[in-house]
Amino acid sequence: MRTWRMAWRNIWRNRRRTAATTAALTLALLFSFLYSALATGLMANMERDALDFELGDVQVTAAGYDDRPSLYTHLVDAA
């Protein structure tokens, strides 16, 4: 327990350094969340575009496909 108390005091010994480190970590975490959200949205839009624009006029789809379209839904025994 004494180690934790000493570490806590050492953190606040240089307040400016602690504030700069905290701000940098917060900013990095914010940007990583933003990048993750953008990448997820980009992948979802790419899948949606592939399904909407690359298919012909007539579509034969698996049962339930219209409720939840996916690139990975396929017909069983398509022959």
Side-chain angles (χ1 to χ4, degrees):
M1 195 58 159
R2 185 172 172 208
T3 305
W4 288 105
R5 209 167 98 204
M6 188 173 13
W8 182 254
R9 275 194 323 213
N10 194 30
I11 287 174
W12 294 108
R13 191 175 65 184
N14 190 342
R15 293 178 189 265
R16 216 174 354 176
R17 179 183 61 201
T18 301
T21 303
T22 304
L25 287 172
T26 302
L27 192 62
L29 188 63
L30 175 72
F31 280 129
S32 68
F33 283 150
L34 181 65
Y35 176 76
S36 176
L38 287 173
T40 302
L42 177 68
M43 292 302 291
N45 283 341
M46 286 173 57
E47 183 176 341
R48 171 61 53 202
D49 288 344
L51 293 174
D52 287 345
F53 299 125
E54 296 296 326
L55 298 175
D57 294 331
V58 177
Q59 299 177 10
V60 178
T61 60
Y65 174 80
D66 292 330
D67 299 330
R68 191 171 180 187
S70 171
L71 290 173
Y72 305 107
T73 304
H74 60 278
L75 296 173
V76 179
D77 289 332

